[in-house]
Amino acid sequence: KAGVTQTPRYLIKTRGQQVTLSCSPISGHRSVSWYQQTPGQGLQFLFEYFSETQRNKGNFPGRFSGRQFSNSRSEMNVSTLELGDSALYLCASSQGDYSGNTIYFGEGSWLTVV
Amino acid sequence: ELKVEQNPLFLSMQEGKNYTIYCNYSTTSDRLYWYRQDPGKSLESLFVLLSNGAVKQEGRLMASLDTKARLSTLHITAAVHDLSATYFCAVNYGGSQGNLIFGKGTKLSVKP
């Protein structure tokens, strides 16, 4: 059974640019969540998508957005990048309706903003 | 607002010793999760605790949940170097499975 796949794994961007990260959840999972991990703030919830609808959103500015496609794959976008956006972005996959218990995480996308 | 607090944040242990990591959360939640993270790696699921009094064990790790006290513990028995990692607890928030609030993590170092 394939795990959660995130692309790209590593990327370097310049301030002011935008970036799109992709996540393919485990087959059959309808919920995809995104998290930002930094040394200072730890793991913070960005948003969750379930069946193509945003179900919850964390406390991040509007520069952070996402979407989910009909095949449950998800993308997140960060516009007008700032140095503070440098982080590990993790995607989490679950069934989303509590029918399954475990939430699985991908390997993450390491974003460096210079 | 849900808050999740772990302690200690740093833990240096000798091999063969026992210790407990504590996870307190501030409001009612459906379930509690424990994850392990190795440096530069993603999160590995260890346990999902679903109800009051739940206890799960895997190898040298045992997790328990007391929903009345809003407290979970991760007990390490006879620590070995391979357990060195950062351990996170997390709880569901906002009524949806995919919304997790994490503690700051406990960085465990097991020394020979």
Side-chain angles (χ1 to χ4, degrees), chain A residues 33 35 37 48 56 100 103 106, chain B residues 30 35 37 42 96-98 100:
Chain A
S33 300
Y35 295 83
Q37 186 176 26
E48 180 197 11
N56 271 298
I103 300 174
Chain B
D30 298 323
Y35 286 91
Q37 187 176 39
S42 186
S96 66
Q97 187 178 15
L100 293 179

Side-chain angles (χ1 to χ4, degrees), chain A residues 58-73:
Chain A
N59 189 24
F60 278 82
R63 300 185 297 106
F64 291 81
S65 63
R67 58 179 176 169
Q68 187 179 32
F69 302 96
S70 58
N71 62 358
S72 292
R73 190 177 70 86

Side-chain angles (χ1 to χ4, degrees), chain B residues 41-79:
Chain B
K41 302 291 186 180
S42 186
L43 298 172
E44 174 190 354
S45 177
L46 295 174
F47 302 108
V48 183
L49 301 170
L50 303 179
S51 59
N52 188 43
V55 177
K56 290 195 174 181
Q57 183 164 6
E58 181 74 32
R60 301 174 187 275
L61 300 178
M62 182 174 70
S64 66
L65 178 63
D66 181 345
T67 57
K68 293 179 182 178
R70 296 176 186 161
L71 170 69
S72 180
T73 60
L74 181 66
H75 186 73
I76 303 156
T77 302

Side-chain angles (χ1 to χ4, degrees), chain A residues 11-13 19 78 81 85-89 109-113:
Chain A
L11 64 166
I12 300 174
K13 291 286 187 179
V19 66
V78 188
L81 284 165
D85 297 332
S86 295
L88 174 64
Y89 290 88
S109 292
W110 289 92
L111 171 65
T112 301
V113 182

Side-chain angles (χ1 to χ4, degrees), chain A residues 5-108:
Chain A
T5 304
Q6 290 188 244
T7 57
R9 292 292 319 283
Y10 305 92
L11 64 166
I12 300 174
K13 291 286 187 179
T14 304
R15 272 184 303 173
Q17 287 187 315
Q18 73 167 13
V19 66
T20 299
L21 308 178
S22 179
C23 173
S24 293
I26 291 171
S27 178
H29 284 189
R30 292 187 292 165
S31 168
V32 173
S33 300
W34 291 90
Y35 295 83
Q36 181 195 65
Q37 186 176 26
T38 59
Q41 298 299 318
L43 280 154
Q44 293 185 285
F45 171 76
L46 280 158
F47 27 67
E48 180 197 11
Y49 286 88
F50 179 79
S51 294
E52 301 180 67
T53 300
Q54 186 180 87
R55 189 153 72 170
N56 271 298
K57 189 177 191 304
N59 189 24
F60 278 82
R63 300 185 297 106
F64 291 81
S65 63
R67 58 179 176 169
Q68 187 179 32
F69 302 96
S70 58
N71 62 358
S72 292
R73 190 177 70 86
S74 176
E75 290 181 346
M76 68 162 282
N77 184 278
V78 188
S79 62
T80 319
L81 284 165
E82 300 176 359
L83 295 178
D85 297 332
S86 295
L88 174 64
Y89 290 88
L90 291 166
C91 166
S93 164
S94 67
Q95 281 156 328
D97 58 2
Y98 294 100
S99 61
N101 295 329
T102 304
I103 300 174
Y104 299 90
F105 282 79
E107 292 295 311

